[in-house]
Amino acid sequence: MPSSFRGLPPVVWTLFAGTIINRLGYLVTPFLVFFLASRGVTGTDTSYVLGADNLLGPAVVAGMAATLALTSRVTRRTTHTLAA
C-alpha cells in the first residue's frame, strides 16, 4: 500500500503539507500557556493573551466572506493579485 502513494501528483503532496502545518498550528495555544507561565506571566494576563488569540476566528470568517464577495464580482486571478 505505501508504494501506491509514490505516484500521487505534487499538488496532492502540497495540500498534504499545508494540512499538516495547519494542524500543527493548533498546538500553539497550549504551549503558549506554558511559555508564558515560565516567563512569570500571571494567569489573568495569560487569559487576556488567549482571548486575543480567539479574536482571530471572527477575523478569518470576515476575510473569507470578503474574499467570496470580491471573487463573485471580479475574477479569481484579480482577487488573488489584490490579496498578494
Side-chain angles (χ1 to χ4, degrees):
M1 176 113 162
S3 63
S4 64
F5 291 125
R6 294 182 188 194
L8 293 174
V11 173
V12 173
W13 293 111
T14 304
L15 289 172
F16 177 71
T19 302
I20 295 296
I21 292 169
N22 184 20
R23 297 300 178 194
L24 287 174
Y26 287 113
L27 294 174
V28 170
T29 303
F31 287 110
L32 180 63
V33 172
F34 293 128
F35 174 75
L36 292 174
S38 71
R39 298 286 181 169
V41 178
T42 64
T44 304
D45 292 338
T46 302
S47 66
Y48 292 139
V49 172
L50 294 177
D53 181 46
N54 288 332
L55 291 176
L56 181 64
V60 169
V61 171
M64 287 179 166
T67 303
L68 179 63
L70 186 61
T71 304
S72 66
R73 294 191 186 346
V74 296
T75 64
R76 285 182 287 178
R77 178 173 289 180
T78 305
T79 303
H80 284 116
T81 304
L82 291 173

